[in-house]
Each structure stands twice: as structure tokens, then as C-alpha cells.
Amino acid sequence: MYAAPMTIGGRAVPATATFDVKNPSTGATIGTAPNASLADLDAAVAAAQAAFPAWSQKPDEALQQACLAVVETLGAHAEELAQLITLEQGKPLNGLGSRWEMGGAQAWAGYTSRLALPMKLLQDDAQGRVELHRKPLGVVGSITPWNFPLMIAIWHVLPALRTGNTVVIKPSPHTPLATLRMVELLNTVLPAGVLNCVTGDDRAGSIGAAMAAHAGIRKIVFTGSCATGQKVMQSAALTMKRLTLELGGNDAGIVLPDCDPQAIAEGLFWGSFINNGQTCAAMKRLYVHDSIHDAVCEHLVAYAKTVPMGDGMAEHNLLGPVQNRMQFDKVAALVADARKKGDLLLGGGPGDGLFFPATLIAGLKNGDALVDEEQFGPALPIIRYKDVNEAIRYANDSPNGLGGSVWSRDITHAKQVASQMECGSVWINKHGAIQPNAPFGGTKASGIGVEFAEDGLQEYTDPQVIFT
Ligand code: NAD
């Protein structure tokens, strides 16, 4: 049994109350996490506030070196953290699983550490000199979801630290252990109070909600559902917090008629089923041209049948369980409804425990729940279209606008279609391939602001202009 402490002000804080953390592959309790009180949160915010003056006044080079020490620590403990992710999240160690997640965390941390926001000279002439400086905000509150617990934590924490902020992070109650351990490890190379972690079970009042309203926190970076993101935005208004909200997606993929169905099958599958579909920018609806629809379905089914699903700790598995019962029930209900309306090509029924077989359902249309709602699980609806403008209209007919993809051998045509899609990122002949040097964020209800690259870094600062 793993009993992880919270880290507040550089010290391990023993829990006065705890909650159980379960392995979704087996249902077994693998550890306990502290159920923080509001006093614990206040202590974490106070520790981060106390650490802020010294941290924010460090020379830029020293901040960069401290962030690079974080990268090294992640690397040294990558396998331990990957195993913890698999145990509590369910994703396999292998494939696009927890080792891959740790590789991503290190890559993002490294890239972000090496970024900088130097002073920008806006004017320097006989009329005067105008300098644009970027100043850290203070304490940043990070609230993370359960699908990529450590990669998303790093997406939040590294740009905050790199720009001179201090942090209080709160992971999802479904996956608190890897984050608690990571913060404990990173505190061996960071000054006390710079990075603090609190956890709560969300039952008797949410620590996340208290963070969004907390007067000592200057910014919330939140990744999670649209509904919770709206609550965060409402609470944050009272203290005029800065916000980055990375919310849900219902990404569409559009397959144009010139594609080779066999050649794209693997890319389509992983674009949709990465992390069992529990990925914000996974392909959640697939629009396929009538002329190749049946062939695409056939090759997709053939590829999907080759992908082993099972306990993530077994080295050969490439798909794991759905992470929690609530999500499983949601996927099961959407699939049950879709089976009545469309043609089941593969999967369809709940398996053992939280394992839900990879499911492909054709014959659906906009208006069907599996098409309109974010399933966030291993079930892909396939929609036949005849005219590309019709497909673009269907793809854009969604309150969300996170990502999208276009599949074609004609890159010029694909880019023309991509430019008409209402979303923050569009990939051509792949889906969801985010990278640390490109800003990532949602349009419409999928969020506010961006992460990654210089644009993402700027969101952890306020501009200050000095006129002389
Ligand atoms: P969720 O909204 O249920 O929970 C996210 C976090 O918010 C958790 O830490 C939770 O404890 C906390 N929380 C709960 N109530 C809160 C409140 N009132 N105020 C503040 N925080 C509160 O989301 P989830 O189920 O963990 O994650 C799945 C969702 O996240 C999906 O919709 C998915 O698309 C989205 N997501 C988006 C991105 C992205 O980058 N856009 C990435 C991953 C996941």
C-alpha cells in the first residue's frame, strides 16, 4: 500500500484524513492519499506566497538552471513514476502509455526550461525608450485531470516556475499518487515552498473550488471538463484571477476521398484510441467520404483487432481499462444508444471490470449522442458523407473546438479544408500530435488561452511597460 504525503513548504505533511486510490485494472486499493482540509490549502498557499519573493527575484539564468534540475529529476525517476501512473490510471506501461507519458513530461519540461521571455524594446529614439517586461504573477494554482496526470502537471508547473511564479498543484482524486510523489521528488531540487501539492477526494467540498476562489492565488491553470471549467471561471472572477482553461473536445476527423484506406488505418486508430480515447484532443468523430467509407471501416476494424487490451502492468498490452466507473458508465450508455441507431462494427459491450472493448460504430449522424457528446472513452462513431462542404459543416456543428484532422494525399486541398475547421489545432494525416514548440488551446467552449511555446509561457506573466 502506497501512502503518499502532501508537500507543503518543502515538508511532508502527514494526513489527518485519507481516501483510497484504486487500480482500475484490478479494482484493488493500491494506496491512500491525504484528504486535505481548507486549512491545509491555506498553508500551501501561504508557503507558496512566502517562497515567491526570493524565487521571482532570481536571475533568469538561475530559474532556468532550477527548471533543468527538475528535468533531470524526472528522468532519474521516470520508471518509478511511470509504474505509479499505470497503477492508478490504468494505461499500459508500453505503447502510448505511461512510459510515453513520462517521456513527454521530460520533453516538455526540457523545452520549456530553455524558453525565455526577455525584455522587448518597443521604442528607442529621440522621443523616448519603451520597454516591455514580463513579470511573474505570484502563486499559480494548478488543477489537473486524471487522464495524463503527470504530463499535464508538467504542462502547468514548468512554465509557471520558469517565469518566476510559485505553485500549488491539486491532482484529480482519481489519480493523486503519481503527482504527490513527483512533487515530493521535485522538492529535493527546488527551494521550499516553490512547489506544493494538496489532494482531496472532492466529496465534502472541493479543494479545487476553494483554489479557484482563494484570494492568495493569482492564476488558475485548469485542465478538465467544460462544466468544471465554467465553475472555475465564475469563482475566479471575484479575485480577477488570470485563467488558462484547457477543457473538453469533440474533435472531428475528415477523411477525403483520395486516401488509401489501408495506409491510414493505424493513424486513424491511434488518433482516436490513444489512452483508450480518454484524451482531450483525441479524434472523437470520424467523417469518411462515401466512396471509401466501407474500405476505411474494414481496415480500421482489422487494425483494431490486433491491439491487445488488459492490465497495464503486463508489458505486452497496449490498451488498458477505462479509468473510473463514472466514465465507464457514460461510455457504456452512449454505446448502448448508438447501437440502436447505427451498425456495430467492433466491440460494443462492456467487458470485465472497467475494461471496455475498442468499439467502432458506423451508420451514425450528427444528432446522435455518440456523435454530439464527448465520449472520452474507447468508442468511435463513423459518419458517412458525400460532399466535403457537408463534412466541414458537420465537423463545425459542435460547441467544442479543440482539435481536428484532415486525411488526404493532396496536402494543398487538405490545408484548405483545415482552414475552414473551427478549432485550435488541425493535423493533416495524423491526429492529436501536440508538441512543446506549438501553442495548444481550444476555441469555442474548449477553453481560454493556450499552453506551450512562448505564447503559453506569456500566460504566466503580466506585461509591464516602462516608459523613459
Ligand atoms: P473534471 O472537470 O471532472 O476534473 C478536473 C479537475 O477539477 C479535478 O482535479 C477535480 O478534482 C477538479 N474539480 C472538481 N470540481 C471542481 C470545482 N468545482 N472547481 C475546481 N476544480 C474542481 O475533469 P476530468 O474528468 O478529470 O477530466 C476529463 C475532462 O478533461 C474531459 O472533458 C477532457 O476532454 C478534459 N481534458 C482536456 C484537456 C485539454 O488540454 N483541453 C486535457 C485533458 C483532459
Side-chain angles (χ1 to χ4, degrees), residues 27-217:
T29 299
I30 51 163
T32 58
N35 203 8
S37 63
L38 291 179
D40 291 325
L41 173 62
D42 286 343
V45 174
Q49 283 176 317
F52 178 70
W55 181 254
S56 59
Q57 282 158 30
K58 274 186 188 292
D60 197 61
E61 173 67 22
L63 287 177
Q64 184 174 70
Q65 287 309 317
C67 288
L68 288 169
V70 165
V71 185
E72 211 166 289
T73 310
L74 289 174
H77 297 272
E79 180 62 19
E80 176 197 348
L81 292 170
Q83 301 229 357
L84 258 182
I85 294 173
T86 292
L87 282 174
E88 67 178 353
Q89 205 283 335
K91 68 181 65 177
L93 287 169
N94 274 324
L96 300 172
S98 57
R99 289 184 184 131
W100 181 82
E101 177 170 347
M102 282 310 299
Q106 290 165 75
W108 255 271
Y111 187 86
T112 309
S113 297
R114 292 181 181 91
L115 287 174
L117 294 176
M119 181 274 288
K120 200 167 158 189
L121 196 54
L122 302 181
Q123 184 186 327
D124 192 15
D125 57 22
Q127 273 70 48
R129 181 179 165 96
V130 183
E131 296 173 357
L132 171 63
H133 296 260
R134 291 268 164 196
K135 304 189 71 171
L137 303 168
V139 179
V140 170
S142 152
I143 303 175
T144 55
W146 47 259
N147 58 343
F148 287 91
L150 290 200
M151 190 149 74
I152 291 176
I154 288 297
W155 292 352
H156 291 185
V157 169
L158 254 289
L161 298 184
R162 178 66 190 88
T163 42
N165 301 279
T166 55
V167 177
V168 176
I169 184 169
K170 190 212 76 68
S172 164
H174 295 293
T175 52
L177 298 179
T179 308
L180 285 162
R181 177 65 179 143
M182 181 178 78
V183 171
E184 195 179 20
L185 289 167
L186 298 188
N187 266 267
T188 62
V189 295
L190 291 170
V194 164
L195 177 59
N196 309 273
C197 183
V198 289
T199 49
D201 70 0
D202 276 359
R203 281 199 196 116
S206 155
I207 291 289
M211 287 170 72
H214 204 291
I217 294 180

Side-chain angles (χ1 to χ4, degrees), residues 144 146-147 170 202 208 222-225 228 246-248 280 374 376:
T144 55
W146 47 259
N147 58 343
K170 190 212 76 68
D202 276 359
F222 170 86
T223 303
S225 62
T228 312
E246 294 292 356
L247 309 178
C280 52
E374 185 190 28
F376 215 62

Side-chain angles (χ1 to χ4, degrees), residues 117-353:
L117 294 176
M119 181 274 288
K120 200 167 158 189
L121 196 54
L122 302 181
Q123 184 186 327
D124 192 15
D125 57 22
Q127 273 70 48
R129 181 179 165 96
V130 183
E131 296 173 357
L132 171 63
H133 296 260
R134 291 268 164 196
K135 304 189 71 171
L137 303 168
V139 179
V140 170
S142 152
I143 303 175
T144 55
W146 47 259
N147 58 343
F148 287 91
L150 290 200
M151 190 149 74
I152 291 176
I154 288 297
W155 292 352
H156 291 185
V157 169
L158 254 289
L161 298 184
R162 178 66 190 88
T163 42
N165 301 279
T166 55
V167 177
V168 176
I169 184 169
K170 190 212 76 68
S172 164
H174 295 293
T175 52
L177 298 179
T179 308
L180 285 162
R181 177 65 179 143
M182 181 178 78
V183 171
E184 195 179 20
L185 289 167
L186 298 188
N187 266 267
T188 62
V189 295
L190 291 170
V194 164
L195 177 59
N196 309 273
C197 183
V198 289
T199 49
D201 70 0
D202 276 359
R203 281 199 196 116
S206 155
I207 291 289
M211 287 170 72
H214 204 291
I217 294 180
R218 294 303 312 130
K219 173 191 170 91
I220 292 283
V221 50
F222 170 86
T223 303
S225 62
C226 295
T228 312
Q230 284 172 337
K231 288 186 198 160
V232 168
M233 198 169 175
Q234 279 170 343
S235 312
L238 296 173
T239 48
M240 206 56 84
K241 284 187 180 59
R242 276 66 184 133
L243 286 177
T244 302
L245 302 177
E246 294 292 356
L247 309 178
N250 194 8
D251 292 11
I254 301 179
V255 175
L256 300 181
D258 68 346
C259 282
D260 172 349
Q262 186 168 11
I264 62 171
E266 182 175 354
L268 288 176
F269 181 83
W270 287 112
S272 178
F273 288 84
I274 174 173
N275 198 25
N276 239 344
Q278 302 167 123
T279 304
C280 52
M283 189 169 63
K284 295 179 178 132
R285 305 174 277 156
L286 178 60
Y287 295 88
V288 184
H289 190 265
D290 184 43
S291 61
I292 56 167
H293 173 275
D294 295 354
V296 167
C297 290
E298 192 185 307
H299 287 289
L300 207 42
V301 169
Y303 183 81
K305 283 181 174 166
T306 68
V307 180
M309 177 182 278
D311 189 330
M313 294 303 276
E315 296 280 345
H316 66 280
N317 284 324
L318 296 176
L319 287 176
V322 173
Q323 203 281 329
N324 59 75
R325 176 57 58 186
M326 203 172 61
Q327 194 60 41
F328 183 94
D329 290 345
K330 184 174 179 194
V331 174
L334 286 171
V335 167
D337 176 73
R339 287 183 71 163
K340 288 185 215 140
K341 295 169 176 157
D343 311 316
L344 181 69
L345 305 178
L346 186 72
D352 289 342

